[in-house]
Amino acid sequence: MRLVNLGCLTLMLGPFIFGLAYFELGLLRSFSRELYSMSYPSVMGTVTTQGMETLSYAYEIDGRAYQGENYRYTVKNESDFKAWSGPEFRAGSPVRVHYRRGAPWESVVIPGVQGRTLLLLLGFTPVNLAIFWGLYLMLDSTRKSRLGVRAFERNGRVHVRLTDRTPVRVGFEGSLPAAILLAMIVGMVMGMDAPVTAVALAGAFAVAAGVGGSIWWQSRLDTGNYDLILDEQARSLSLPPMHGRTKRRELEWDAIRAVILDKQTRSNKGGSSEYYRCMLRLRGGSRAELVAEWKGDQDRAANLVNWLQARMGRDESTLLAPPAPAPAPKKKVRY
């Protein structure tokens, strides 16, 4: 079902995604040309035409004449028109032309990376990355490998991380909106032709925001507040301060009557959603304790239920969420 939903979503958003990707590739091509132009050799040429929207120049290399129209590699804009409308670019005036090695017919008057290109990259690249990141997360949710319980040992006890948010993911998801916001601020304050230094600093701040978010989240994970902790020697279990608990709750294994899989339907504006929850049913009539829950993911919750039952040494015949049986081997048909 998830693959079907992913396919439908991709088909609906396909033209939009393709358009953004095509625009992004154009920006990257412009950026690479501008970056490479910093190493172009130069020669003196002559302005041949000074128009309102056109600047043409002629130059000669190794006795061969060439004609060029590139003031900068970026799309011509009003600031370019103003730049070449001065007396220094009148027809017949000398102009320094930078040409590409091995392809002297490709030339530009103002080489180097331009602020406009960097600003567009800073604003649009995060949008494209966010779209592909969302598609990746949807595709990743269909992988069977993610169903496994992520357990690790620390100080002689077994920890199970109950959150899917990793430091890399938090940092990545934090840097994307930071980059878009900073690009908008720089564009509104300094214009589209902002200085390269200002745009580069904005990009550095966006990266710093992502790194800071990653470090902050790692420190949160190191506290263990997102871990279910099992002490197999003491036969005890510690629930994290989540799902309505303000502090950890310590439980003896003997106080747990059963580990159950619970299904809860919640209403929302768009209809209703199903949540599958790993619950601990306690002895003595106490309310059940929620360990973890997943929206629409019964297999993930069932795996945690079965894993807890196995670690606590419960009889597998009492499992309330038995794993799916292995497919029977296909019989060979003889003809």
Side-chain angles (χ1 to χ4, degrees), residues 213-249:
S214 178
I215 295 174
W216 168 78
W217 187 245
Q218 182 62 59
S219 66
R220 294 287 304 273
L221 293 177
D222 289 341
T223 63
N225 287 337
Y226 297 89
D227 297 347
L228 168 68
I229 303 176
L230 279 74
D231 190 332
E232 296 177 318
Q233 292 185 349
R235 296 181 59 82
S236 65
L237 179 148
S238 178
L239 296 173
M242 301 167 60
H243 307 300
R245 292 182 294 270
T246 58
K247 60 181 181 179
R248 301 196 73 93
R249 182 170 184 186

Side-chain angles (χ1 to χ4, degrees), residues 250-291:
E250 309 292 335
L251 294 172
E252 300 292 333
W253 286 6
D254 292 338
I256 301 172
R257 184 157 60 93
V259 184
I260 63 173
L261 176 65
D262 178 62
K263 175 182 175 182
Q264 185 182 70
T265 303
R266 300 176 190 173
S267 300
N268 49 50
K269 294 182 179 179
S272 60
S273 301
E274 294 179 344
Y275 287 80
Y276 293 92
R277 314 191 300 171
C278 174
M279 308 280 293
L280 300 180
R281 184 173 292 166
L282 307 179
R283 301 185 187 278
S286 301
R287 69 179 181 88
E289 284 285 349
L290 175 60
V291 178

Side-chain angles (χ1 to χ4, degrees), residues 20-38:
L20 283 177
Y22 183 79
F23 182 71
E24 179 77 18
L25 289 175
L27 287 176
L28 290 174
R29 181 175 180 272
S30 296
F31 176 73
S32 64
R33 292 175 68 190
E34 291 173 11
L35 192 63
Y36 184 56
S37 69
M38 297 175 68

Side-chain angles (χ1 to χ4, degrees), residues 10 12 20-21 28 33 46 48 82 89 98 131 141 143 146 154-155 186 206 233 255 266 269 293:
T10 303
M12 289 189 295
L20 283 177
L28 290 174
R33 292 175 68 190
T46 304
T48 57
K82 291 180 180 179
F89 287 105
H98 301 261
I131 292 173
S141 67
R143 291 190 304 113
R146 92 192 198 291
R154 180 185 293 173
N155 299 326
V186 172
Q233 292 185 349
R266 300 176 190 173
K269 294 182 179 179
E293 65 180 8

Side-chain angles (χ1 to χ4, degrees), residues 47-68:
V47 176
T48 57
T49 304
Q50 182 193 37
M52 291 296 296
E53 297 184 1
T54 305
L55 178 71
S56 301
Y57 50 87
Y59 58 101
E60 186 175 307
I61 299 174
D62 296 333
R64 187 170 183 177
Y66 297 94
Q67 191 81 11

Side-chain angles (χ1 to χ4, degrees), residues 91-170:
S93 300
V95 62
R96 181 163 293 279
V97 179
H98 301 261
Y99 63 93
R100 182 172 181 175
R101 291 188 181 89
W105 55 86
E106 182 178 333
S107 61
V108 66
V109 174
I110 306 297
V113 178
Q114 306 300 317
R116 173 180 291 263
T117 305
L118 275 184
L119 190 60
L120 289 173
L121 281 172
L122 184 62
F124 281 95
T125 301
V127 176
N128 286 321
L129 290 177
I131 292 173
F132 286 104
W133 179 247
L135 293 175
Y136 166 76
L137 291 179
M138 292 185 64
L139 184 63
D140 184 65
S141 67
T142 64
R143 291 190 304 113
K144 291 296 183 182
S145 60
R146 92 192 198 291
L147 298 177
V149 177
R150 292 178 297 172
F152 58 96
E153 289 193 13
R154 180 185 293 173
N155 299 326
R157 298 189 296 177
V158 179
H159 289 240
V160 178
R161 188 138 292 166
L162 299 179
T163 177
D164 292 329
R165 297 177 67 83
T166 64
V168 173
R169 176 176 172 179
V170 170

